[in-house]
Amino acid sequence: MAVTTFEGDFVSGDGKYAIVVGRFNAFVVESLLEGAMDALTRHGVKEENIRVIRVPGAFEIPLAVQRVAAQKQDDAIIALGAVIRGGTPHFEYVSGESSKGVLQVSMEHNLPVANGILTVNSIEQAIERSGTKMGNKGAEAALSALEMVSLLRKLEV
Ligand code: INI
């Protein structure tokens, strides 16, 4: 008997997307945003169906994501930020809480929220993951949002 498999694809670019961006470590985050925009538009998402919401830092991302989710305008939200380890434990709080927060909103609102919040030990690692030798985490997050929108349409309740 054949197994039925459900899997999202990247072919329908008709969804609406909100990108919530933490401004902290802007030199990295702007590259993540470029990567996300490029991935969405090259998969057929029109610029008028993308909105960008800016917040001060990664710690503020969950609240903005929650508000955007409550507006019910988008098929998915993409959270972008860059948390880079410094000399204090502040890093741990910001990285842990921001990731937990976006997951919580995703579950509560039954909405894909892609986690493109980079959490790295050094500026070098951040640069590597924002469009150089380790890819672009913003683009990856956008692709996962596209895939999840497609998958959830196939798993309509
Ligand atoms: N915000 C970040 O987005 N990345 C960081 O690396 C960071 N560090 O390390 O401090 C950071 N801090 C600011 C934080 O997100 C809040 O904006 C701030 O605490 C005010 O609530």
Side-chain angles (χ1 to χ4, degrees):
M1 200 168 73
V3 174
T4 309
T5 303
F6 294 89
E7 210 168 9
D9 55 44
F10 304 96
V11 296
S12 89
D14 62 347
K16 291 192 171 176
Y17 293 82
I19 309 179
V20 176
V21 187
R23 228 181 273 110
F24 206 96
N25 293 321
F27 71 103
V28 173
V29 174
E30 288 308 310
S31 299
L32 299 180
L33 179 57
E34 256 178 51
M37 287 294 300
D38 182 62
L40 291 177
T41 54
R42 284 196 297 117
H43 284 86
V45 181
K46 294 200 175 71
E47 284 196 4
E48 64 254 34
N49 289 330
I50 304 172
R51 51 194 185 130
V52 174
I53 298 96
R54 291 185 187 271
V55 296
F59 199 72
E60 285 74 30
I61 290 175
L63 180 59
V65 166
Q66 187 177 52
R67 181 59 63 100
V68 167
Q71 289 181 320
K72 296 188 188 299
Q73 289 181 31
D74 305 287
D75 294 285
I77 302 172
I78 300 157
L80 300 180
V83 190
I84 304 176
R85 189 182 287 278
T88 70
H90 193 56
F91 163 90
E92 314 285 349
Y93 294 112
V94 174
S95 60
E97 296 310 317
S98 57
S99 290
K100 250 189 270 162
V102 296
L103 178 63
Q104 199 179 321
V105 177
S106 178
M107 302 308 285
E108 280 171 11
H109 287 264
N110 204 16
L111 184 76
V113 182
N115 184 351
I117 304 173
L118 260 186
T119 301
V120 290
N121 288 321
S122 66
I123 289 175
E124 190 187 10
Q125 285 183 349
I127 292 169
E128 284 173 358
R129 288 159 180 77
S130 56
T132 61
K133 64 184 183 183
M134 300 289 284
N136 185 312
K137 196 170 170 72
E140 278 171 31
L143 289 177
S144 97
L146 281 162
E147 182 175 341
M148 287 304 291
V149 168
S150 161
L151 175 66
L152 293 193
R153 285 178 182 175
K154 292 176 184 180
L155 293 175
E156 214 74 75
V157 284

